[in-house]
Amino acid sequence: MRKFNIRKVLDGLTAGSSSASQQQQQQQQHPSGTREPEIQETLQSEHFQLCKTVRHGFPYQPSALAFDPVQKILAVGTQTGALRLFGRPGVECYCQHDSGAAVIQLQFLINEGALVSALADDTLHLWNLRQKRPAILHSLKFCRERVTFCHLPFQSKWLYVGTERGNIHIVNVESFTLSGYVIMWNKAIELSSKSHPGPVVHISDNPMDEGKLLIGFESGTVVLWDLKSKKADYRYTYDEAIHSVAWHHEGKQFICSHSDGTLTIWNVRSPTKPVQTITPHGKQLKDGKKPEPCKPILKVEFKTTRSGEPFIILSGGLSYDTVGRRPCLTVMHGKSTAVLEMDYSIVDFLTLCETPYPNDFQEPYAVVVLLEKDLVLIDLAQNGYPIFENPYPLSIHESPVTCCEYFADCPVDLIPALYSVGARQKRQGYSKKEWPINGGNWGLGAQSYPEIIITGHADGSVKFWDASAITLQVLYKLKTSKVFEKSRNKDDRPNTDIVDEDPYAIQIISWCPESRMLCIAGVSAHVIIYRFSKQEVITEVIPMLEVRLLYEINDVESPEGEQPPPLPTPVGGSNPQPIPPQSHPSTSSSSSDGLRDNVPCLKVKNSPLKQSPGYQTELVIQLVWVGGEPPQQITSLAVNSSYGLVVFGNCNGIAMVDYLQKAVLLNLGTIELYGSNDPYRREPRSPRKSRQPSGAGLCDISEGTVVPEDRCKSPTSAKMSRKLSLPTDLKPDLDVKDNSFSRSRSSSVTSIDKESREAISALHFCETFTRKADSSPSPCLWVGTTLGTVLVIALNLPPGGEQRLLQPVIVSPSGTILRLKGAILRMAFLDTTGCLVPPAYEPWREHNVPEEKDEKEKLKKRRPVSVSPSSSQEISENQYAVICSEKQAKVISLPTQNCVYKQNITETSFVLRGDIVALSNSICLACFCANGHIMTFSLPSLRPLLDVYYLPLTNMRIARTFCFTNNGQALYLVSPTEIQRLTYSQETCENLQEMLGELFTPLETPEAPNRGFFKGLFGGGAQSLDREELFGESSSGKASRSLAQHIPGPGGIEGVKGAASGVVGELARARLALDERGQKLSDLEERTAAMLSSADSFSKHAHEMMLKYKDKKWYQF
């Protein structure tokens, strides 16, 4: 009893010690009396720098699309002001408008390496794409009018900007200033017209006469404006609203799409009525009446070919009675009409044509369709219009991502192995042609090590991605739901489900790259172990184990007016009916009073299962219902191929399974793990009435999800739970208003209520010293809980070979207990030189091939590989355990179990993710906090090396998916469809510029179409216009200053200079703060000088280019 009190007093002292004493303790003042051997640490603060590298995935909430037909670059804008640029596969770029306003339109300066974006906040921006990281050169903010449509003619520097008031302003793209020339709405429409024509929805110049501008107003009025004479030539009126307009390349006809699902084709010189009215999806009535109205045709394009009929391509326009029909793109070519169904609604589409010149035969070859959640490219040249196989990694969100793991520096044979099995999964029926968006050039991949990202999804699928050298490519997809019986409809559903939807959703992934063993934990309290094989097998019976992980209870408390939640609560919630205590597993499927018992949540298939090459099911483990209570979701998971063991835990306890013998080795409640050493002196008993709150559904990764916390006061232990509609008083620590984690959290856990439910939060197999008296390391399992306790379980393994399958594995708690503040997140072990001791593993071999006799003999003799970078450990050598919790990190010397280093990571927040990672031939602890800070600490001394405030807002999606890996790499899911990768390595930051691809390639603009002898003689060809003369200041005067405000962008030379000097200042301050960095200032100044000189040379080159092309007409290029 006395020993226990001293322990409590010591814990209280360490918890209450001041920050000054912590600093002293951290600075090599070891709490133990013995001095530890000094380990030379090589990592310093200058090895660390934080920067974003690349963003992968589909642009979230897309809103605009543009294509450069010469450079072959595609641009997509989004509702959050993001800009994504795509070239050849592997050439991608992400930029962001600072305002975050939605992008409403994008216009390339074709073959100029520039792009204009128009935003919903009435700003226009000019992006320079001639640098690897595009930057804004100029911005223009309209103050009095809302921008609705922009048009930039090919090879012109004058941008037409239409507004909500119906006026058209003209912007000089070079200087980003307004011309004095304005087309006012009241001059454009009929003087007799009594109503306003509505906003400008279309502007384009006649392909054959640049002096004639076609203006479409929303109300249905179209005006052909003569720019020289400043008056309307023709006005075309139709009694339905206009959505879009497109020219025939000869400039004699144009087509309009309307809100009633009709298309009208007009002759330029016949304004009284359209030549033709088409309702593509309208039912033609027999007695000559007008067809029934249809949904609006949102966009139409009119593209001509030399050798045949023109293409009319449109989106929308379906009849109103096609309820439930998917969105369609309609391709009309001659007499044939093809209706192409899409999986999501169409945001925009563009037809890709052979020529950039609008006055030539267009020769369309493909249509790029931007959908709400996908990008589709249709081949117009092949029969049946097949789609191109998309080479970009845009399918991350095919099913919502529920968890993520990142592995850098994997074994080199892994990616080819996964690729070879994944290649067989590819769909057939794609276009035979190469992907036509192929602009830009790849960067130089400086990093040569293999990187793999694994994503777990809501539908139970697991995807493996090759992430080497800042690219991303899907390798292989595993469907974990294949082993379960699927309910055909909701009525068939087993009433044992504990989730409303997505019962197969992946929660935790544990993967051993060397042995290729994979283990997943799913939302229905199920665990599946997979082996990798290149052979196809048919499994007659799927091996299955059911585990009854029980939270024992002694007495039952009656409820006191508590409302039951809509779904069954975890064990330990007060229940309307008292549950009889069950200390022994019941064999029946329901207990005496009809409560559901001993049944798993999902039903495993009982028919033979064909397993393709790749990951094949080795064993399915399911937790079962106990006395009417559903199994609790799994909070931690670990697999070890060398020991043949898998272990998992939840808030009830821990279970260990021998997957070679298919046997349960350990099944203990968390309290039972302590034995007589429980510091809380808890009796197994009925918990209090405060229900254990569960988290949000796994797929609720959409913006704004707020998840209540588990008993253990952080999302890390609860991970993700069932969809319960919880009362607000169960959400104490999450700030609902700003969707961020609350910053005020109590660090001590004293409530008996909370202690009653202690979840397993971290598991680590290793070969180390289990007890103080041990003279040599032995296999064991280290278990971390949400109350900050670390317990050690000793493993006694039989010899290898056949004996391993015949003799039992003996598992016994060692009595070793260590304590930290906050839930345990991560554990790792260092040898006496400070090198990481990875868990032992069994190298991968093909299991489905009969072995030769001599192979069997080798196997018998083979021992597990215990990979320690140092030589085999002598008896006298010690190890270090590195333990990271939500609040602090400790380094403990083994076997003495003395805490040699300690670091309080955060007082006011908590750590969401901690990883022990390799960097620059050394190792460090990397942490990501709920307050948005990223920190790194040296090992073993836990010196702070980096602390950067990285994310202002941390939501549940980021918390679930953030992970660090080796070589300074990290990632998280930045939106439901995109992965953001970042680096915390100085070396990678410096090499990033070389690794990024080039968007702009110097290319000759194609020759203008030949006008032909007769057209030249009789003036039938394209008419040019001296826009400079019309719109320049000398003839049109200055624009009103109050109309728009010019803002120079950071992409100009001044911006580069300012950024460079800002960097100097920041780094100078950092160096003053840290003595270690003092000597390196001169290097930085030299680099800054080089940066400024390159910026100056870029500016001169740009100016020369501008002067060269300034006065040239389009036909002189």
Side-chain angles (χ1 to χ4, degrees):
M1 193 69 197
R2 194 174 165 197
K3 184 180 176 185
F4 166 70
N5 285 339
I6 289 166
R7 184 190 184 90
K8 267 299 198 192
V9 168
L10 285 172
D11 268 356
L13 279 173
T14 51
S17 62
S18 68
S19 57
S21 65
Q22 285 155 13
Q23 284 300 316
Q24 284 174 353
Q25 201 175 24
Q26 178 226 323
Q27 288 164 1
Q28 279 77 353
Q29 293 205 356
H30 310 295
S32 62
T34 56
R35 285 287 293 178
E36 293 295 328
E38 283 293 326
I39 292 172
Q40 191 65 41
E41 292 180 2
T42 54
L43 285 178
Q44 302 297 333
S45 295
E46 48 263 36
H47 290 113
F48 294 88
Q49 185 184 338
L50 197 69
C51 70
K52 292 179 182 178
T53 50
V54 282
R55 186 174 286 202
H56 302 297
F58 182 77
Y60 183 57
Q61 295 178 326
S63 55
L65 183 67
F67 182 67
D68 184 326
V70 180
Q71 286 289 323
K72 301 276 172 73
I73 295 283
L74 186 78
V76 176
T78 75
Q79 290 176 32
T80 53
L83 196 57
R84 290 285 292 281
L85 296 141
F86 298 93
R88 67 180 58 207
V91 176
E92 276 184 51
C93 182
Y94 159 76
C95 323
Q96 177 70 45
H97 293 91
D98 290 339
S99 67
V103 178
I104 54 172
Q105 209 178 341
L106 294 170
Q107 291 264 304
F108 273 101
L109 277 69
I110 293 171
N111 205 24
E112 293 287 337
L115 174 77
V116 173
S117 58
L119 269 57
D121 63 356
D122 311 307
T123 53
L124 302 176
H125 305 273
L126 178 67
W127 289 86
N128 173 18
L129 308 182
R130 290 179 180 237
Q131 55 199 64
K132 287 189 170 184
R133 293 219 152 175
I136 293 173
L137 290 167
H138 299 283
S139 299
L140 193 66
K141 165 84 175 158
F142 279 79
C143 305
R144 295 196 312 225
E145 298 200 47
R146 308 295 315 266
V147 174
T148 55
F149 194 89
C150 300
H151 170 64
L152 181 69
F154 179 43
Q155 292 180 329
S156 162
K157 68 173 187 183
W158 298 97
L159 174 76
Y160 301 109
V161 181
T163 69
E164 199 171 47
R165 288 189 184 176
N167 303 325
I168 291 176
H169 301 279
I170 297 164
V171 176
N172 181 330
V173 174
E174 282 172 4
S175 61
F176 242 56
T177 51
L178 277 175
S179 161
Y181 191 115
V182 183
I183 303 170
M184 302 300 284
W185 68 269
N186 52 355
K187 299 272 175 59
I189 62 165
E190 296 274 6
L191 291 173
S192 58
S193 175
K194 289 177 181 157
S195 59
H196 188 277
V200 174
V201 293
H202 179 82
I203 309 168
S204 60
D205 42 345
N206 185 323
M208 286 296 179
D209 188 350
E210 294 173 352
K212 304 282 197 259
L213 199 65
L214 195 69
I215 306 161
F217 296 98
E218 192 180 64
S219 64
T221 302
V222 179
V223 174
L224 188 70
W225 181 264
D226 187 315
L227 289 163
K228 282 182 185 169
S229 64
K230 300 186 184 179
K231 64 178 177 56
D233 278 359
Y234 299 103
R235 297 181 180 92
Y236 315 84
T237 50
Y238 192 71
D239 53 6
E240 289 293 339
I242 287 177
H243 283 277
S244 75
V245 184
W247 279 101
H248 185 283
H249 85 273
E250 288 175 351
K252 293 174 183 170
Q253 281 190 336
F254 61 88
I255 187 167
C256 300
S257 76
H258 299 277
S259 56
D260 63 344
T262 57
L263 297 172
T264 51
I265 299 175
W266 301 78
N267 275 347
V268 170
R269 294 173 188 274
S270 310
T272 48
K273 65 170 191 169
V275 182
Q276 195 180 356
T277 304
I278 310 163
T279 313
H281 296 281
K283 288 177 183 166
Q284 297 295 332
L285 303 172
K286 287 178 184 174
D287 49 2
K289 288 181 184 170
K290 274 180 78 176
E292 291 175 4
C294 294
K295 292 174 187 173
I297 295 175
L298 300 175
K299 184 171 180 180
V300 64
E301 293 210 337
F302 198 2
K303 302 294 178 187
T304 52
T305 59
R306 270 178 222 286
S307 55
E309 300 277 348
F311 282 88
I312 296 175
I313 301 164
L314 56 115
S315 64
L318 294 178
S319 64
Y320 280 103
D321 59 4
T322 52
V323 180
R325 182 138 180 213
R326 294 194 294 181
C328 293
L329 186 84
T330 308
V331 181
M332 300 166 73
H333 184 221
K335 290 181 180 175
S336 77
T337 300
V339 181
L340 310 174
E341 286 199 340
M342 302 290 155
D343 290 336
Y344 308 100
S345 53
I346 297 170
V347 175
D348 198 358
F349 73 88
L350 287 172
T351 312
L352 309 190
C353 300
E354 296 291 353
T355 178
Y357 293 94
N359 58 353
D360 194 8
F361 284 100
Q362 297 297 285
E363 302 295 348
Y365 58 88
V367 182
V368 57
V369 190
L370 179 64
L371 306 174
E372 206 173 36
K373 292 184 180 177
D374 203 0
L375 183 78
V376 176
L377 202 60
I378 296 158
D379 186 351
L380 288 180
Q382 262 180 266
N383 285 339
Y385 304 132
I387 63 168
F388 288 87
E389 184 175 7
N390 196 324
Y392 305 134
L394 302 183
S395 62
I396 291 168
H397 63 290
E398 189 177 19
S399 167
V401 176
T402 51
C403 66
C404 219
E405 291 296 336
Y406 189 9
F407 301 84
D409 219 359
C410 304
V412 287
D413 57 347
L414 253 182
I415 289 175
L418 287 164
Y419 183 81
S420 66
V421 293
R424 306 174 195 208
Q425 299 177 326
K426 291 205 170 161
R427 281 173 48 196
Q428 301 301 312
Y430 289 113
S431 167
K432 307 265 188 303
K433 290 185 188 160
E434 295 250 322
W435 183 255
I437 302 163
N438 55 12
N441 287 307
W442 291 310
L444 303 166
Q447 286 154 317
S448 54
Y449 52 85
E451 295 176 71
I452 290 176
I453 294 170
I454 307 178
T455 52
H457 299 264
D459 64 354
S461 59
V462 176
K463 285 184 184 173
F464 291 78
W465 305 82
D466 175 5
S468 312
I470 71 168
T471 60
L472 193 70
Q473 182 185 8
V474 72
L475 291 169
Y476 170 72
K477 179 180 172 181
L478 167 68
K479 292 181 180 172
T480 66
S481 60
K482 280 203 316 194
V483 298
F484 299 111
E485 298 279 4
K486 287 198 179 60
S487 48
R488 288 196 176 81
N489 56 46
K490 288 194 174 175
D491 304 333
D492 288 357
R493 221 185 226 169
N495 53 5
T496 53
D497 276 11
I498 58 169
V499 283
D500 291 340
E501 51 193 55
D502 303 318
Y504 313 113
I506 309 292
Q507 274 185 300
I508 312 173
I509 295 166
S510 176
W511 187 52
C512 172
E514 288 80 13
S515 66
R516 305 185 189 172
M517 289 300 295
L518 172 72
C519 196
I520 65 99
V523 76
S524 296
H526 63 280
V527 170
I528 310 177
I529 301 149
Y530 290 92
R531 266 189 208 281
F532 185 83
S533 172
K534 294 181 179 176
Q535 309 291 321
E536 183 176 294
V537 292
I538 291 175
T539 308
E540 293 298 327
V541 179
I542 298 165
M544 186 183 83
L545 282 176
E546 288 180 1
V547 177
R548 188 180 170 87
L549 201 51
L550 177 63
Y551 182 61
E552 299 272 4
I553 49 177
N554 283 346
D555 60 311
V556 178
E557 288 188 0
S558 61
E560 290 171 14
E562 248 191 26
Q563 288 294 311
L567 277 170
T569 40
V571 180
S574 60
N575 224 44
Q577 300 151 339
I579 302 165
Q582 287 195 320
S583 51
H584 298 287
S586 144
T587 49
S588 64
S589 63
S590 65
S591 57
S592 55
D593 53 0
L595 293 172
R596 197 171 296 123
D597 195 53
N598 254 23
V599 283
C601 301
L602 302 171
K603 189 165 183 259
V604 175
K605 280 182 182 169
N606 49 18
S607 54
L609 181 69
K610 179 182 164 188
Q611 304 210 67
S612 305
Y615 274 102
Q616 297 170 352
T617 308
E618 172 83 1
L619 178 64
V620 179
I621 307 163
Q622 292 195 85
L623 294 183
V624 294
W625 285 67
V626 177
E629 290 291 354
Q632 293 301 289
Q633 287 179 358
I634 290 157
T635 53
S636 57
L637 174 72
V639 64
N640 187 288
S641 57
S642 172
Y643 308 155
L645 302 177
V646 66
V647 62
F648 55 92
N650 63 11
C651 64
N652 282 344
I654 185 170
M656 191 188 295
V657 170
D658 179 341
Y659 66 76
L660 298 175
Q661 295 187 21
K662 315 282 188 280
V664 179
L665 300 174
L666 182 75
N667 179 1
L668 284 178
T670 319
I671 300 171
E672 295 172 280
L673 270 177
Y674 287 89
S676 60
N677 296 325
D678 184 1
Y680 301 110
R681 290 278 177 236
R682 291 168 296 192
E683 290 300 320
R685 57 178 180 73
S686 170
R688 302 274 166 161
K689 277 177 285 300
S690 62
R691 292 188 188 285
Q692 173 214 0
S694 294
L698 269 169
C699 314
D700 297 348
I701 293 199
S702 58
E703 303 297 324
T705 304
V706 174
V707 176
E709 292 183 327
D710 203 328
R711 177 222 52 73
C712 49
K713 73 179 188 42
S714 94
T716 45
S717 50
K719 289 288 188 224
M720 297 139 275
S721 257
R722 298 192 314 262
K723 299 182 181 174
L724 297 184
S725 52
L726 288 161
T728 47
D729 59 311
L730 290 179
K731 306 175 182 178
D733 288 337
L734 279 179
D735 189 345
V736 180
K737 284 184 206 124
D738 70 351
N739 185 23
S740 63
F741 292 113
S742 164
R743 306 287 182 260
S744 58
R745 307 171 61 82
S746 74
S747 56
S748 64
V749 182
T750 51
S751 154
I752 306 291
D753 274 328
K754 291 186 174 180
E755 286 167 7
S756 66
R757 299 305 288 278
E758 183 174 11
I760 307 295
S761 57
L763 295 162
H764 189 88
F765 284 107
C766 53
E767 209 152 310
T768 188
F769 302 92
T770 48
R771 298 174 185 86
K772 284 186 181 179
D774 283 3
S775 57
S776 62
S778 58
C780 55
L781 170 72
W782 285 52
V783 181
T785 76
T786 50
L787 289 186
T789 307
V790 176
L791 303 134
V792 183
I793 295 172
L795 308 173
N796 193 341
L797 297 161
E802 285 175 16
Q803 290 301 306
R804 174 64 185 84
L805 300 174
L806 300 172
Q807 294 182 28
V809 176
I810 297 160
V811 181
S812 55
S814 67
T816 298
I817 294 184
L818 304 166
R819 301 271 305 133
L820 276 80
K821 265 199 299 188
I824 306 296
L825 299 179
R826 190 77 62 213
M827 296 175 279
F829 293 84
L830 313 181
D831 65 14
T832 192
T833 63
C835 295
L836 196 64
V837 181
Y841 64 85
E842 178 97 351
W844 178 80
R845 62 185 177 83
E846 181 58 73
H847 272 257
N848 294 331
V849 175
E851 287 157 3
E852 300 298 323
K853 273 191 181 175
D854 55 339
E855 282 288 321
K856 281 193 177 174
E857 288 304 311
K858 277 186 203 168
L859 189 64
K860 276 184 194 174
K861 291 171 190 168
R862 180 155 69 179
R863 287 297 299 148
V865 182
S866 179
V867 275
S868 169
S870 59
S871 58
S872 62
Q873 291 182 324
E874 296 166 24
I875 288 173
S876 62
E877 286 188 347
N878 63 340
Q879 283 189 356
Y880 296 97
V882 181
I883 306 169
C884 175
S885 81
E886 292 180 326
K887 291 287 184 180
Q888 60 180 194
K890 282 186 181 178
V891 174
I892 289 157
S893 177
L894 299 175
T896 60
Q897 295 180 16
N898 291 327
C899 175
V900 288
Y901 300 102
K902 177 177 139 186
Q903 176 69 256
N904 282 355
I905 300 168
T906 173
E907 291 293 338
T908 54
S909 184
F910 56 97
V911 179
L912 286 167
R913 177 82 184 209
D915 286 294
I916 289 98
V917 290
L919 176 73
S920 306
N921 299 319
S922 190
I923 53 166
C924 64
L925 167 66
C927 297
F928 172 58
C929 278
N931 59 12
H933 282 253
I934 287 176
M935 295 183 265
T936 62
F937 301 91
S938 71
L939 287 174
S941 72
L942 295 173
R943 266 183 311 119
L945 297 171
L946 175 80
D947 183 354
V948 177
Y949 180 46
Y950 171 69
L951 278 177
L953 191 71
T954 307
N955 59 26
M956 274 312 297
R957 184 188 55 253
I958 296 168
R960 286 175 194 164
T961 55
F962 200 104
C963 44
F964 297 96
T965 186
N966 297 329
N967 299 335
Q969 307 291 340
L971 66 78
Y972 59 96
L973 214 68
V974 68
S975 75
T977 62
E978 295 163 291
I979 285 174
Q980 177 67 57
R981 287 165 72 179
L982 55 146
T983 182
Y984 49 95
S985 152
Q986 167 72 28
E987 188 186 356
T988 309
C989 286
E990 284 179 0
N991 295 333
L992 185 60
Q993 199 66 11
E994 289 172 25
M995 294 164 68
L996 293 171
E998 299 263 7
L999 282 168
F1000 180 76
T1001 320
L1003 290 171
E1004 288 286 321
T1005 303
E1007 278 190 25
N1010 191 350
R1011 291 170 71 182
F1013 174 73
F1014 288 106
K1015 281 191 176 177
L1017 192 64
F1018 299 112
Q1023 302 292 309
S1024 65
L1025 170 78
D1026 190 342
R1027 293 190 179 98
E1028 186 70 46
E1029 191 184 314
L1030 263 181
F1031 306 143
E1033 206 174 292
S1034 54
S1035 57
S1036 67
K1038 285 188 176 179
S1040 162
R1041 281 193 177 179
S1042 62
L1043 189 61
Q1045 177 194 355
H1046 176 257
I1047 306 155
I1053 181 70
E1054 300 80 13
V1056 173
K1057 281 181 176 168
S1061 59
V1063 169
V1064 175
E1066 282 298 316
L1067 286 174
R1069 280 194 291 278
R1071 277 172 168 69
L1072 287 170
L1074 289 164
D1075 322 330
E1076 304 169 69
R1077 296 184 175 188
Q1079 330 106 18
K1080 300 216 168 182
L1081 192 58
S1082 57
D1083 295 355
L1084 178 83
E1085 283 168 349
E1086 280 165 25
R1087 285 204 295 276
T1088 308
M1091 184 177 162
L1092 283 170
S1093 70
S1094 71
D1096 275 311
S1097 68
F1098 173 81
S1099 172
K1100 284 174 192 157
H1101 177 68
H1103 190 65
E1104 284 163 19
M1105 289 288 286
M1106 189 264 285
L1107 292 173
K1108 181 179 173 186
Y1109 292 109
K1110 186 178 177 185
D1111 297 314
K1112 288 196 176 184
K1113 306 291 185 287
W1114 63 268
Y1115 51 80
Q1116 293 173 310
F1117 278 77

